[in-house]
């Protein structure tokens, strides 16, 4: 990769210009995300750097957009709704997904390809189509639950969104958990069984600790899918269930308020935390695999 | 030949088959809950949508007697239906008006021919005044001359069946007439253009992603592990950042009073009066979507490039190849699989995008998905939304199948 000493001028020019080009592409990737962070501390309601901000004067900066986010009822409701929906959807996706991934990784599974394709499909089908399909079907399902089962309309709304989001998160759990199971040494479960452990005990004591990194990263994917999802929730839910991305979407479409930048910054911090967690998990997983004899 | 038997006297073959069957059942049992869950929450809703795109039961359900009576009517004869049909229409409408269904039918038929909605709204008042002593045919003709127009009856006959291809034809800018299927006049065609634009822009976005992603993937695959892991963060952070955050960032940056225009004015590239329009047009969609989908191109390319030993390039060069020849003849062909995987993935994601085009695309930069959303939430023409969705879904599934052939769906990697 390093430039050899015998490189010609042309090669040197290309070597350095290639680095510059790559630098520019990296800049294109990361700059839009980073630039909203200082902008969110803007003391005015503009979406650009004011002269005060450029001169780094403290008057140019303020936390007022953050204050607005934490005091405004719309935003707080949206935040609460998001936090109510995403964890439950994630839980459903992870429990069902992990069990199914273990089933799928057995050596003899009939119709494996077809089953896999079905389970992954929520990830492939464009969101707008999933949303359209769910819009029609869930409306009827909801009416049935309210009219025939006599359930509370608010709870039904909530259940509808959670089910839809769980379906969207499942492919990610399946993919990450099956990927971890590929490196799983099957003789370990046999060893556990030969020592008298039942299937449940084997699962929790032997298999689970080894595949936990895959399960957690699948869970993170499922969580972020639900937390970040806006199309399906707009079609399936009602205004009462407005989530954070939905609120952002309306804000961006109607009158864009600088509070969005504060929310965006908070979400960027959240994704940095996710990224770090995933990296730590990956390292742990690699370390564990290095130790296992398979 | 003697059969091998297990200890308890069962033939070994049978015993193995039994064990295998048990194993298969156990696997299926583990998968079953999720499969059922996905079928109910996802597959059935999608199928339901597919059916809706051909469902036309509203005509025959609202006007059962009329549609039955029209079965024997020959539109080619160019004569109005007989008195019996008008009587059937009267009976059907009377019931429909009681249940307030006639306006719904009007809305449905209005998709096929404008003016139907007002005709059916008006007939509500007319029918209540009709008397049994006079011919219904004459009373209908007196109420509105549209009832004496062959076109109205042709339309009713064309849309009598319970299933229709009407929505699909409309989604392809075609129309049913008694003489067969015709293209709409040039000025009324919207959907074919929209499909063409969606596909064209998705191709451009995919090409841009490839152009920008290839060098980055190459760099990441060839740098020492420590540096490349560090630079990988620059790819993964956008990948993990909320879609709406990235879209709002672009919305803020590209505005006329936004950061990019400000910098350009400050640099003196453009004057304050001549600020560029970077958003609410196709350019806005292209920039924002390329940024959003770029990681989906880089990651598959990177995972393929990692596996290419650097010694191949060195070998080519030692045999006298120039840098370019070595790259083009030795390195590039080995990355084709990665390009295919990345390109299909990016294209599939691009073609179905809704949020970003909606927010930064204005009127010219929107996709077919935006039209689907419009039909669901604004125009309430659900059949049309379903038909457009079905066409888009078919397109995506074909690509999905190709992707599965090339890459294998279980080899998808995340992060």
């Amino acid at each position: 990769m390093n430039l050899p000493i015998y490189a010609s001028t042309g090669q040197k020019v290309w070597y350095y210009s290639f680095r510059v080009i790559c630098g520019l592409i990296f800049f294109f990737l990361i700059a839009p995300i980073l630039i909203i962070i200082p902008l969110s501390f803007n003391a005015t309601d503009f979406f650009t750097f004011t002269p005060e901000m450029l001169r780094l004067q403290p008057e140019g900066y303020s936390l007022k957009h953050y204050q607005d986010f934490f005091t405004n009822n719309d935003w707080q409701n949206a935040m609460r709704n998001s936090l109510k929906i995403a964890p439950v959807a994630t839980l459903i996706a992870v429990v069902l997904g992990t069990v199914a991934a273990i089933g799928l990784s057995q050596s003899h599974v009939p119709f494996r390809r077809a089953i896999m394709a079905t389970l992954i499909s929520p990830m492939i089908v464009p969101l707008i189509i999933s949303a359209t399909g769910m819009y029609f079907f869930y409306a009827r399902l909801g009416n049935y639950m309210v009219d025939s089962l006599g359930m509370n309309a608010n709870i039904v709304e909530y259940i509808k969104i959670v089910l839809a989001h769980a379906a969207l998160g499942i492919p990610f759990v399946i993919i990450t958990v099956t990927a971890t199971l590929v490196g799983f040494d099957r003789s370990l479960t046999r060893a556990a069984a030969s020592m008298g452990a039942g299937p449940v005990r084997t699962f929790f004591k032997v298999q689970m600790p080894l595949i936990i990194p895959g399960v957690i990263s699948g869970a993170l994917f499922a969580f972020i899918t639900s937390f970040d999802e806006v199309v399906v929730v707009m079609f399936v839910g009602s205004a009462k269930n407005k989530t954070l991305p939905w609120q952002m979407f309306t804000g961006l479409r109607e009158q864009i308020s600088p509070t969005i930048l504060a929310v965006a910054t908070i979400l960027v911090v959240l994704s940095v935390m996710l990224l770090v967690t995933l990296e730590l998990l990956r390292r742990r997983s690699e370390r564990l695999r290095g130790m296992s004899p398979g | 030949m003697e059969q091998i038997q297990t200890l308890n006297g069962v033939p070994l073959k049978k015993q193995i088959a039994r064990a295998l069957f048990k194993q298969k059942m156990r696997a299926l049992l583990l998968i079953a809950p999720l499969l059922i869950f996905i079928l109910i929450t996802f597959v059935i809703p999608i199928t339901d949508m597919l059916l809706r795109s051909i469902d036309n039961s509203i005509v025959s359900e609202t006007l059962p007697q009329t549609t039955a009576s029209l079965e024997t009517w020959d539109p080619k004869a160019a004569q109005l239906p007989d008195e019996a049909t008008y009587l059937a229409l009267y009976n059907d409408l009377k019931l429909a008006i009681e249940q307030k269904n006639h306006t719904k039918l009007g809305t449905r038929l209005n998709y096929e021919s404008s003016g139907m909605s007002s005709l059916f709204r008006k007939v509500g008042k007319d029918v209540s005044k009709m008397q049994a002593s006079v011919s219904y045919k004459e009373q209908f003709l007196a109420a509105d001359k549209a009832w004496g127009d062959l076109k109205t009856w042709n339309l009713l006959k064309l849309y009598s069946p319970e299933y229709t291809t009407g929505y699909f034809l409309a989604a392809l800018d075609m129309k049913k007439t008694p003489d067969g299927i015709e293209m709409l006049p040039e000025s009324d065609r919207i959907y074919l253009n929209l499909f063409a634009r969606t596909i064209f822009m998705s191709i451009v976005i995919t090409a841009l992603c490839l152009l920008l992603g290839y060098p980055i993937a190459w760099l990441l695959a060839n740098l020492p592990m420590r540096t490349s892991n560090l630079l990988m963060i620059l790819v993964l952070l956008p990948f993990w950042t909320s879609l709406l955050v990235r879209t709002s960032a672009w919305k803020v940056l590209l505005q006329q009073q936004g950061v990019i225009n400000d910098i350009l004015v400050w640099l003196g590239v453009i004057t304050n009066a001549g600020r560029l329009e970077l958003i609410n047009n196709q350019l806005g969609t292209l920039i924002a979507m390329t940024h959003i989908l770029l990681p989906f191109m880089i990651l598959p390319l990177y995972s393929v490039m990692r596996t290419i030993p650097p010694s191949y390039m060195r070998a080519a060069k030692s045999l006298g190849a120039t840098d370019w020849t070595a790259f083009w003849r030795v390195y590039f062909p080995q990355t084709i699989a990665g390009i295919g995987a990345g390109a299909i993935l990016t294209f599939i994601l691009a073609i179905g995008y809704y949020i970003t085009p909606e927010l930064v695309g204005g009127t010219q930069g929107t996709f077919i998905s935006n039209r689907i959303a419009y039909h669901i939430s604004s125009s309430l023409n659900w059949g049309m939304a379903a038909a457009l969705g079905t066409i888009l879904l078919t397109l995506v599934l074909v690509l999905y199948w190709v992707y599965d052939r090339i890459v294998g769906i279980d080899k998808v990697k995340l992060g």
Side-chain angles (χ1 to χ4, degrees):
Chain A
M1 189 60 201
N2 285 331
L3 201 59
I5 29 169
Y6 51 80
S8 67
T9 326
Q11 278 172 326
K12 274 182 198 156
V13 170
W14 170 242
Y15 178 83
Y16 288 110
S17 44
F18 182 76
R19 302 245 151 165
V20 172
I21 293 170
C22 286
L24 288 176
I25 301 173
F26 277 125
F27 181 75
F28 170 71
L29 267 171
I30 205 78
I33 295 169
L34 295 187
I35 208 145
I36 52 174
I37 297 176
L39 277 179
S40 70
F41 295 102
N42 199 333
T44 63
D45 282 349
F46 296 125
F47 289 99
T48 188
F49 291 99
T50 55
E52 291 85 20
M53 291 178 85
L54 292 176
R55 270 181 263 126
L56 293 178
Q57 288 167 347
E59 310 88 84
Y61 296 87
S62 92
L63 288 170
K64 69 176 208 176
H65 303 313
Y66 290 87
Q67 193 190 357
D68 185 39
F69 171 69
F70 285 108
T71 51
N72 185 321
N73 264 337
D74 284 347
W75 285 107
Q76 285 306 301
N77 264 338
M79 184 78 189
R80 258 198 302 279
N81 279 331
S82 278
L83 288 178
K84 260 193 268 175
I85 292 165
V88 182
T90 308
L91 190 73
I92 298 176
V94 168
V95 172
L96 291 178
T98 307
V99 173
I102 291 170
L104 277 169
S105 65
Q106 310 278 321
S107 40
H108 301 282
V109 185
F111 315 113
R112 188 167 188 280
R113 234 184 144 81
I115 292 175
M116 195 74 178
T118 313
L119 297 184
I120 305 283
S121 62
M123 193 175 84
I124 302 295
V125 173
L127 273 177
I128 188 76
I129 294 176
S130 316
T132 311
M134 287 171 170
Y135 175 74
F136 297 132
F137 183 78
Y138 281 46
R140 270 189 278 155
L141 189 75
N143 288 343
Y144 170 76
M145 288 202 279
V146 173
D147 298 339
S148 307
L149 304 181
M151 290 167 77
N152 183 314
N154 285 335
I155 297 175
V156 168
E157 286 286 327
Y158 173 74
I159 293 177
K160 272 157 52 177
I161 301 176
V162 166
L163 289 182
H165 276 183
L168 294 179
I170 278 167
F172 298 101
V173 180
I174 293 279
I175 288 176
T176 49
V177 179
T178 34
T180 346
L181 280 168
V182 168
F184 181 74
D185 187 357
R186 214 149 275 287
S187 52
L188 292 177
T189 46
R190 267 182 239 132
S194 77
M195 286 186 270
V200 177
R201 197 181 159 90
T202 314
F203 175 74
F204 281 108
K205 289 277 174 194
V206 179
Q207 200 161 16
M208 198 59 183
L210 283 166
I211 63 168
I212 198 81
V215 176
I216 294 179
S217 65
L220 288 178
F221 268 106
F223 182 82
I224 205 79
T225 308
S226 167
F227 199 73
D228 196 22
E229 204 289 318
V230 46
V231 191
V232 168
V233 80
M234 275 197 309
F235 278 59
V236 174
S238 65
K240 246 184 280 162
N241 302 95
K242 229 173 207 192
T243 57
L244 206 50
W246 187 353
Q247 180 71 26
M248 285 180 86
F249 181 77
T250 0
L252 283 171
R253 196 156 62 166
E254 283 147 22
Q255 17 76 282
I256 164 163
S257 98
T259 312
I260 284 182
L261 293 181
V263 183
T265 306
I266 296 173
L267 290 181
V268 169
V269 173
L270 185 78
S271 42
V272 170
M273 280 167 14
L274 271 175
L275 193 63
V276 171
T277 321
L278 272 178
E279 179 61 23
L280 293 177
L281 282 173
R282 198 180 57 81
R283 294 207 178 152
R284 185 189 135 89
S285 169
E286 267 170 19
R287 214 175 47 233
L288 281 178
R289 244 184 246 181
M291 290 200 309
S292 75
Chain B
M1 203 181 93
E2 201 187 333
Q3 251 183 347
I4 306 171
Q5 296 197 332
T6 53
L7 280 177
N8 43 11
V10 188
L12 182 64
K13 214 172 167 185
K14 219 172 174 183
Q15 187 81 359
I16 289 177
R18 203 180 287 165
L20 208 62
F21 178 77
K22 230 167 136 188
Q23 215 177 348
K24 277 184 187 174
M25 281 303 116
R26 190 165 355 121
L28 281 185
L29 215 64
L30 286 170
I31 302 168
L34 183 67
L35 199 60
I36 294 167
F37 182 82
I38 285 282
L39 283 179
I40 293 176
T41 57
F42 190 78
V43 178
I44 294 178
I46 299 277
T47 328
D48 181 50
M49 182 202 76
L50 299 184
L51 288 178
R52 200 172 276 268
S53 65
I54 51 168
D55 176 43
N56 191 44
S57 49
I58 179 163
V59 181
S60 49
E61 268 169 24
T62 323
L63 306 174
Q65 294 185 24
T66 317
T67 46
S69 170
L70 275 176
E71 260 170 45
T72 52
W73 178 66
D74 179 21
K76 291 264 159 43
Q79 269 185 337
L80 285 177
D82 53 7
E83 177 65 28
T85 314
Y86 280 94
L87 175 63
L89 181 68
Y90 173 76
N91 289 336
D92 285 340
L93 280 175
K94 220 175 148 191
L95 201 67
I97 289 161
E98 267 171 38
Q99 294 165 343
K100 298 198 165 69
N101 278 336
H102 62 300
T103 50
K104 278 187 208 154
L105 179 65
T107 312
R108 162 70 188 99
L109 290 173
N110 206 51
Y111 299 144
E112 312 300 339
S113 164
S114 52
M116 282 295 142
S117 182
S118 57
L119 178 68
F120 274 87
R121 228 179 300 126
K122 192 163 160 285
V123 90
K125 291 187 212 119
D126 301 334
V127 165
S128 58
K129 282 182 262 163
M130 289 182 187
Q131 288 150 5
S133 52
V134 198
S135 146
Y136 282 112
K137 186 167 178 174
E138 277 163 29
Q139 293 188 67
F140 267 108
L141 292 185
D144 196 316
K145 58 182 189 309
W147 294 114
D149 192 344
L150 280 174
K151 274 192 215 150
T152 313
W153 291 102
N154 275 331
L155 192 75
L156 278 178
K157 186 170 169 81
L158 272 178
Y159 289 95
S160 299
E162 265 192 55
Y163 296 102
T164 178
T165 50
Y167 293 119
F168 277 102
L169 293 175
L172 297 170
D173 286 337
M174 288 188 258
K175 196 179 173 178
K176 242 194 218 177
T177 64
D179 313 316
I181 293 161
E182 277 174 20
M183 288 297 289
L184 283 178
E186 199 87 37
S187 55
D188 292 354
R189 293 182 195 167
I190 37 175
Y191 295 111
L192 283 184
N193 285 342
L194 199 55
F195 272 113
R197 188 209 287 167
T198 307
I199 292 174
F200 173 73
M201 285 184 66
S202 304
I203 291 174
V204 174
I205 291 164
T206 310
L208 282 173
C209 283
L210 183 61
L211 198 70
L212 298 179
Y214 201 90
I216 294 295
W218 190 83
L219 191 75
L220 289 175
N222 286 286
L223 281 176
M225 203 56 176
R226 188 173 273 276
T227 334
S228 90
N229 270 348
L230 216 61
L231 285 177
M232 199 59 166
I233 294 175
L234 300 184
V235 179
L236 289 178
L237 184 62
F239 181 76
W240 276 98
T241 306
S242 160
L243 173 68
L244 278 149
V245 170
R246 285 180 284 169
T247 311
S248 22
W250 282 112
K251 190 133 184 160
V252 168
L253 287 177
L254 297 174
Q255 279 184 5
Q256 286 212 315
Q257 302 301 324
V259 175
I260 291 182
N261 263 313
D262 278 359
I263 292 176
L264 290 178
V265 169
W266 180 71
L267 287 174
V269 182
I270 52 171
T271 60
N272 201 7
R275 283 171 178 261
L276 302 174
E277 272 189 47
L278 300 168
I279 204 169
N280 294 333
N281 53 25
Q282 297 199 353
L283 185 66
T285 307
L286 285 183
I287 296 176
M289 296 234 341
T290 305
H291 177 252
I292 287 166
L293 296 178
L294 192 49
F296 291 96
M297 180 65 93
I298 294 177
L299 294 173
L301 274 176
Y302 169 76
S303 67
V304 167
M305 286 181 181
R306 278 232 73 119
T307 60
I308 302 174
S311 53
Y312 288 4
M313 281 277 271
R314 268 186 251 131
K317 279 183 200 166
S318 78
L319 291 170
T322 59
D323 285 349
W324 171 250
T325 320
F327 167 75
W328 185 245
R329 301 277 299 276
V330 176
Y331 195 80
F332 183 76
Q334 298 182 76
T335 60
I336 295 281
I339 293 177
I344 295 179
L345 189 63
T346 317
F347 189 80
I348 290 182
L349 290 170
I351 205 170
Y353 242 62
Y354 166 67
I355 295 294
T356 309
E358 180 76 23
L359 289 174
V360 301
T363 50
Q364 283 306 303
T366 47
F367 284 4
I368 202 76
S369 348
N370 304 87
R371 196 76 196 169
I372 297 176
Y374 162 78
H375 276 310
I376 289 203
S377 49
S378 305
S379 84
L380 304 183
N381 188 350
W382 293 344
M384 191 68 203
L388 289 173
T390 308
I391 297 175
L392 183 62
L393 183 65
T394 317
L395 215 62
V396 169
L397 287 185
V398 169
L399 288 168
Y400 178 37
W401 180 78
V402 174
Y403 185 85
D404 191 26
R405 288 278 121 162
I406 299 183
V407 195
I409 191 64
D410 33 6
K411 292 203 186 65
V412 182
K413 282 211 189 80
L414 301 165

